[in-house]
Amino acid sequence: MNRNPVKSISKLSKLSTPQMFLGTDVDKKNSSEQFLLSMYDSVQTSIFIVDVLEDGDFRYLGLNPTHERWIGIRSEEVRGKKPEDILSPVDAARVRQHYVDCVRFGKTISYEQCLQFQGISTWWSTTLTPLRDAKAKIYRLIGTSSNITQSKQTGRMQAERERILESIGQKIRQFQPLETIFQQTVKEIRQLLDCDRVLIYHFNIHQIGEIIAESTIMVGNSLLGQKINDPCFHVQHLERYKRGCIQIIEDIHTAGLHPCQRDFLASIQVKANLVLPILLQQDLWGLLIVQHCRETRQWQQIEINLLQQIASQLSIAIQQQELHQQIKNLQLQQQQLPKFLAFIKQITEQIRDHLDAEKILQNTVKELVQLLTLERCQIELYDQLQITAVVTCEYTNHPPHCQGLTRHLADFPEIYQPLLQKQPLASVEILSGWNPQLQLVNQLACPIFHSQGVLGNIWLIRSTDQPFTELEISLIQEVANQCAIAIRQSQLSLTNQIQLQELKNQERYKNEFLKTLAQQLRTPITSISLAGQTLESLLTPNGILDIELVPQLLQILHQECGRESKLINDLLTLAYLKIEPEPPTLIAIDLKTWLTPIVESFRDVTDCQKQQLNLNIHENLPPLETDITDFERIITELLNHACKCTPPSELITVSANLNIDTVELKITHSGVEVPVNQPSLIFQPFYRLAKHDSWKSSETGLELALVKTMINRLNGSICVHSMKNQIIFTIKFPYTCKTSI
C-alpha cells in the first residue's frame, strides 16, 4: 500500500474523526463498523487514532470527545502531530516504543503508563489495536485508554498508610523517644501527601501551645519551637477538638473563618489547613496539623482517614511513653517497683505481639493476684450503652467464681457513678459466709478507659485490713491504661480485618461481574458470527444455495444485535444511575390511571402463555409523586420477569395498597420459588433463576438490578419473599399524608 503521508494527513483533516477511523463511505461498511462509528462519540472510554506512515513514523489523527475531556486537548490540536510534538521527550519515547511494539508484533497489546498532560501526571491503562489494509499491512493503530490515576493513588496511599503505621508501631514497641517518633512521622506525612508543612502542636498545663515537631518545604519559615497563644482558638475550637472533631479548611478565604484565625493562617502563608486532635484519655494533648501553602487544596477522605489513624497511633505512643516515664519515677521510691516494671513490660510485650485482648486481660488478672497477694482479681467490661457490666476475666483460688456475672449499673449507683467519671474507688468491707477465715476485705476498682470513653473496670480484692498503697493504686492505673490500649488495639485490628475483608469482597464481586459481563457480551456475538458464517456459506457465485434459510439467519442477526444493544444500554443506564444520578422528575400521578394500562399491555403475553393476570388496586389511593419514566420501567421490568418465570396455568397478580406512611405495590407470581439462600442475590447483575426460565427470553440479566437502583433513586425500597411456591416482590414508596386545617 503506497501511501503519501502528507497527502493522507491533509485529506483526513477534512474529515470528522469517526470518518478517519472507518473511511468516508460509511454506507458501505458492515454493521460492526456502523456500531463502532456510533460508539466513537458516545462511549466513556478514551479513544485515539494513530496513523502508521510508510517510513515507520507515527502521526495522530484524532481523539474522541471523552479523551479530549480527560487530557484537556482538542482533537484538532493533535492531528498530524508526532508524539514528540505533544508529550515530553521521556513520555514520547515510551509511547513511541509501544506503537513500534504493536506494529512489530502485529497484534493487540495492552500496557499501563504514566503521562503528563498540561503539567499534570496521570496513569492510563491503554490497549492498542492495529488495523490492516487489503494487503494485510498495518496502516493505523486504534488506542483505547482508561484513566486509572485514582486507583493507582489509592493503592499507593494504602500501602504507604500501612508502612507509616507499622513504622510508628515499631518505634513504640522499641520505646524510642517521642521526639524521634514525632519528627519521623511529620516527615513521612508531608512526603506522602505532597503538602507544604506538617506540624505537631502540644498544649502545656496552661493550654499554651508549642510546635514540637515540623516538616516543611518553606525555607526560612520554620515554626518549630514557637509558642502560640491564639485567643480565637480557645474560644472557637478547644471544646470541639476535645470531643474529637476535626477541622477541614480547603480555602481559608471561603471557609467562613473568624477574621483573627484567617489572618493568623494567612500570616504564616497557609491557604489550606487540616487539623486533627491528639487525645490522651479524653484530654486534648495536642494537634496534628497539615498545611498547604502554595494553593488551596481539596482534602480527600482517604487522607483524612490516614491522619486519624496516625493521630490514634501518636496518642498510643504518648500514652505509653508517659506511662513508662511515670513508672520510672516510681522506681526511685519503692523497692517493689522492679516487679511492677517487669509486669508492665510483660503486658506491653503481649500488646506488641498482638496477642488476643482476652488472653492479655486473663494473664493480667492472674499476674496481679500473684504480684499483689490478692484474694481475687476481676475485669468487667460495659456494654455499648453502659447499662450492664459483665465479668469477662477472673482469677481466684476461692469460690464463688463470678466470671460471666452480669451487673446492672442502675442497681449500684454509688459504685458506678464515680467509676464512670474515671475515678478509682477504694473500700473496706466485712464479708461473712464467703470464706470462714476472712474478716476484712479491701476492694479497689480502677476504671479502664481511653479517649473514646470508659470501657470497664479492674477489681482487686485483698483479705487484709491494710489499704492499697499509692504505689499499688498507681500500678493498677497503669495496668488499666495498658488494658485499654490492648482492647483498643484489638478493636482497631478487628476493624481493619473487616475493612480488608470488605475490600476483598468488593474485588471478588468486581471480578465476578467482569467475568459474567464478558460471557454475556460474547454470547450474542457468537450467535452473530455463526449466523454470518452460515449466511456466507449460502452465498455462491451461482446464487443462494438455500433461500429459505436466509430470512431465518437475518432474523438471528437482528435478534442478537438487538440483544447486544440492549445489554450495552442497560449497562450504561446502571452505571449512570450508580455514578452520576440526576434527581428524578417527580409528578403526582393517579395509580389506577397509570398502573392499569401498563398491566393490561401484558394481557396478550399472559394469554398466549396460558397464564392468569390479575390487577387489584385499593380504592381511594392518594396521588403518588414519582418519576413517570422510571415508574413505568420498574413495573414493566417486574412484569416481564414474572411472565418469563411463571409456568402455564399459574397466576400473576399486581396489587396496590396504602399503609400508614407508604404506598405498597406487590407483584406476585406462582409456580416458582427462589432458593432459600438466594433472595438477597436476586437483585445482583446477571442473576437468573436458571431452572425456571419457562419461556425463551432475551433478558440481559440486568433488569432487576436496574429496578432496585431506580427504586432507590425514588426514595423507595424493594424486597423479595419466596414461600408456598410463589415469589412476591414488594415495593414501598414514601407517602406523607397532607391534611388541611
Side-chain angles (χ1 to χ4, degrees):
M1 181 177 180
N2 296 321
R3 296 170 58 247
N4 186 316
V6 177
K7 292 183 179 180
S8 172
I9 294 172
S10 62
K11 179 181 179 181
L12 289 171
S13 65
K14 301 176 182 178
L15 304 176
S16 67
T17 307
Q19 288 173 326
M20 287 189 292
F21 178 21
L22 299 174
T24 56
D25 196 3
V26 176
D27 294 336
K28 296 181 181 180
K29 298 294 177 183
N30 58 33
S31 59
S32 298
E33 292 182 341
Q34 290 281 3
F35 174 71
L36 290 174
L37 178 59
S38 65
M39 292 282 287
Y40 183 85
D41 288 326
S42 62
V43 295
Q44 297 302 310
T45 301
S46 297
I47 300 175
F48 61 92
I49 306 171
V50 182
D51 196 7
V52 182
L53 303 185
E54 193 69 23
D55 59 0
D57 203 352
F58 304 94
R59 295 288 190 278
Y60 289 103
L61 297 186
L63 315 172
N64 76 333
T66 300
H67 206 45
E68 288 180 335
R69 291 193 299 271
W70 273 115
I71 67 175
I73 301 176
R74 297 174 58 192
S75 181
E76 293 80 3
E77 297 174 5
V78 303
R79 190 168 299 161
K81 293 184 178 180
K82 303 178 182 179
E84 290 78 4
D85 299 331
I86 303 170
L87 303 170
S88 67
V90 174
D91 287 350
R94 293 173 180 170
V95 167
R96 177 176 289 277
Q97 185 59 48
H98 290 309
Y99 296 167
V100 170
D101 290 344
C102 184
V103 173
R104 182 177 61 183
F105 296 131
K107 62 180 182 180
T108 298
I109 64 171
S110 298
Y111 55 91
E112 292 181 359
Q113 61 184 353
C114 182
L115 302 176
Q116 272 202 353
F117 293 103
Q118 300 183 347
I120 300 175
S121 296
T122 52
W123 275 91
W124 300 88
S125 176
T126 302
T127 298
L128 282 178
T129 301
L131 296 183
R132 299 178 182 272
D133 57 19
K135 297 181 180 179
K137 183 176 180 180
I138 296 174
Y139 70 98
R140 191 162 296 158
L141 304 178
I142 306 299
T144 58
S145 293
S146 299
N147 191 319
I148 58 173
T149 304
Q150 184 175 1
S151 62
K152 284 285 186 180
Q153 291 175 343
T154 301
R156 172 177 169 270
M157 183 71 71
Q158 290 175 344
E160 286 296 314
R161 178 192 65 183
E162 297 299 329
R163 185 187 63 79
I164 292 176
L165 294 178
E166 176 59 29
S167 175
I168 297 174
Q170 184 177 5
K171 291 180 176 63
I172 293 174
R173 294 191 293 270
Q174 295 173 349
F175 289 99
Q176 292 190 14
L178 284 178
E179 294 78 5
T180 302
I181 297 176
F182 291 161
Q183 197 57 46
Q184 187 64 28
T185 299
V186 295
K187 179 181 178 181
E188 292 182 347
I189 292 174
R190 184 185 61 77
Q191 292 174 347
L192 175 59
L193 302 186
D194 190 27
C195 53
D196 298 332
R197 184 189 290 132
V198 180
L199 307 170
I200 292 181
Y201 184 71
H202 173 51
F203 297 103
N204 61 20
I205 57 175
H206 303 294
Q207 293 299 309
I208 302 299
E210 178 182 359
I211 306 297
I212 62 172
E214 178 188 37
S215 178
T216 180
I217 64 171
M218 311 296 291
V219 179
N221 291 288
S222 175
L223 303 178
L224 186 62
Q226 292 191 20
K227 292 182 173 60
I228 301 174
N229 184 13
D230 181 6
C232 257
F233 172 82
H234 292 281
V235 173
Q236 295 190 10
H237 303 296
L238 187 59
E239 292 302 320
R240 293 183 65 253
Y241 287 138
K242 286 182 178 179
R243 296 195 303 270
C245 300
I246 64 177
Q247 185 184 53
I248 304 172
I249 301 174
E250 298 179 348
D251 185 345
I252 64 171
H253 298 291
T254 61
L257 301 177
H258 191 279
C260 67
Q261 186 186 13
R262 183 191 63 232
D263 295 340
F264 169 75
L265 292 174
S267 70
I268 57 175
Q269 302 178 345
V270 175
K271 294 186 178 179
N273 206 41
L274 181 59
V275 184
L276 298 92
I278 301 174
L279 299 174
L280 194 62
Q281 301 175 8
Q282 286 193 329
D283 294 326
L284 184 61
W285 182 92
L287 302 172
L288 176 60
I289 305 172
V290 182
Q291 297 176 337
H292 215 61
C293 303
R294 291 167 289 179
E295 57 187 357
T296 60
R297 175 166 178 162
Q298 184 176 1
W299 304 104
Q300 303 299 316
Q301 188 60 46
I302 190 171
E303 299 173 336
I304 297 172
N305 293 341
L306 167 65
L307 294 172
Q308 286 177 319
Q309 290 182 309
I310 292 177
S312 297
Q313 287 290 92
L314 292 177
S315 177
I316 293 174
I318 296 164
Q319 187 171 355
Q320 187 157 307
Q321 290 279 358
E322 290 190 356
L323 295 177
H324 190 61
Q325 185 61 43
Q326 291 173 11
I327 293 175
K328 281 186 176 180
N329 295 336
L330 292 174
Q331 188 175 12
L332 301 175
Q333 304 174 18
Q334 300 292 334
Q335 293 181 354
Q336 195 180 13
L337 191 57
K339 295 181 181 179
F340 292 171
L341 281 171
F343 179 47
I344 294 296
K345 183 178 179 182
Q346 177 183 341
I347 299 176
T348 303
E349 289 175 350
Q350 291 174 351
I351 296 174
R352 177 198 65 194
D353 295 334
H354 300 285
L355 289 182
D356 181 66
E358 184 177 349
K359 292 182 180 179
I360 295 176
L361 299 183
Q362 190 61 51
N363 291 337
T364 299
V365 295
K366 180 179 179 180
E367 292 294 331
L368 283 174
V369 168
Q370 297 173 353
L371 182 62
L372 301 179
T373 317
L374 304 176
E375 196 71 27
R376 69 176 60 228
C377 182
Q378 301 172 344
I379 292 180
E380 63 178 5
L381 299 179
Y382 298 133
D383 64 345
Q384 289 186 350
L385 300 178
Q386 295 184 338
I387 296 175
T388 62
V390 179
V391 178
T392 58
C393 298
E394 181 186 47
Y395 188 82
T396 181
N397 294 318
H398 305 284
H401 298 283
C402 302
Q403 186 158 340
L405 177 67
T406 300
R407 301 186 182 102
H408 290 271
L409 276 60
D411 296 338
F412 309 95
E414 69 283 357
I415 295 176
Y416 287 103
Q417 284 181 2
L419 291 175
L420 289 172
Q421 297 299 319
K422 307 177 185 177
Q423 300 174 9
L425 180 67
S427 64
V428 179
E429 296 184 12
I430 300 176
L431 298 180
S432 60
W434 172 30
N435 189 327
Q437 300 178 350
L438 188 62
Q439 297 294 325
L440 293 177
V441 173
N442 265 283
Q443 296 185 114
L444 175 65
C446 188
I448 302 171
F449 61 91
H450 56 38
S451 61
Q452 298 186 1
V454 183
L455 303 173
N457 308 292
I458 299 179
W459 284 88
L460 300 94
I461 300 174
R462 177 187 284 164
S463 56
T464 178
D465 58 352
Q466 293 296 324
F468 289 92
T469 66
E470 291 185 4
L471 177 63
E472 291 172 333
I473 294 174
S474 297
L475 166 69
I476 301 306
Q477 289 176 322
E478 304 305 332
V479 170
N481 290 333
Q482 291 290 339
C483 290
I485 293 174
I487 295 171
R488 178 60 176 162
Q489 182 169 290
S490 178
Q491 292 172 343
L492 289 173
S493 177
L494 180 60
T495 300
N496 288 337
Q497 290 176 10
I498 293 173
Q499 292 176 346
L500 180 61
Q501 186 60 45
E502 289 177 353
L503 289 174
K504 289 181 179 178
N505 291 339
Q506 291 176 4
E507 183 68 18
R508 178 176 56 81
Y509 173 74
K510 181 191 75 174
N511 292 335
E512 290 177 354
F513 176 81
L514 292 176
K515 176 182 176 182
T516 307
L517 175 60
Q519 293 173 345
Q520 295 295 326
L521 290 170
R522 184 176 60 185
T523 300
I525 290 177
T526 301
S527 299
I528 292 172
S529 177
L530 290 174
Q533 292 175 11
T534 305
L535 185 61
E536 183 180 12
S537 66
L538 296 177
L539 301 176
T540 66
N542 298 327
I544 300 175
L545 295 179
D546 190 344
I547 193 65
E548 295 180 356
L549 281 179
V550 174
Q552 299 177 24
L553 295 173
L554 291 176
Q555 183 180 7
I556 292 174
L557 290 173
H558 285 299
Q559 288 177 346
E560 295 304 321
C561 286
R563 180 180 175 186
E564 188 83 358
S565 177
K566 186 177 186 300
L567 175 59
I568 293 173
N569 289 334
D570 284 354
L571 279 171
L572 291 174
T573 302
L574 185 61
Y576 170 78
L577 290 174
K578 287 183 176 294
I579 298 174
E580 296 180 354
E582 291 184 359
T585 304
L586 300 180
I587 299 175
I589 65 170
D590 177 61
L591 268 179
K592 187 172 184 180
T593 302
W594 279 88
L595 195 56
T596 301
I598 297 175
V599 175
E600 289 301 322
S601 67
F602 284 84
R603 185 71 64 182
D604 291 342
V605 176
T606 56
D607 289 345
C608 180
Q609 297 179 172
K610 298 182 180 180
Q611 299 161 335
Q612 301 179 47
L613 178 62
N614 294 332
L615 174 62
N616 300 321
I617 302 179
H618 188 274
E619 296 294 333
N620 301 322
L621 279 178
L624 174 66
E625 286 194 350
T626 187
D627 186 292
I628 297 174
T629 304
D630 285 356
F631 179 78
E632 183 173 353
R633 181 161 187 184
I634 289 167
I635 302 302
T636 300
E637 295 291 3
L638 288 173
L639 283 173
N640 272 328
H641 181 267
C643 292
K644 183 194 76 167
C645 297
T646 304
S649 302
E650 295 294 339
L651 183 64
I652 301 173
T653 302
V654 181
S655 62
N657 294 285
L658 178 65
N659 289 333
I660 296 176
D661 56 356
T662 60
V663 174
E664 184 177 277
L665 301 176
K666 288 187 177 181
I667 291 89
T668 306
H669 52 103
S670 61
V672 63
E673 287 188 10
V674 179
V676 177
N677 60 339
Q678 295 186 11
S680 61
L681 302 178
I682 198 168
F683 297 108
Q684 294 292 336
F686 304 117
Y687 175 86
R688 287 187 174 89
L689 294 172
K691 297 181 180 180
H692 302 289
D693 193 354
S694 303
W695 315 96
K696 292 183 178 180
S697 170
S698 61
E699 287 192 352
T700 63
L702 298 173
E703 290 78 10
L704 294 183
L706 281 170
V707 164
K708 184 172 184 179
T709 304
M710 288 188 290
I711 290 175
N712 291 339
R713 193 169 79 108
L714 297 175
N715 294 324
S717 64
I718 183 171
C719 60
V720 60
H721 300 283
S722 180
M723 58 183 179
K724 297 180 180 179
N725 201 33
Q726 64 179 1
I727 298 176
I728 304 171
F729 288 92
T730 303
I731 307 171
K732 293 182 180 180
F733 291 112
Y735 163 70
T736 302
C737 182
K738 299 181 181 179
T739 58
S740 59
I741 300 176

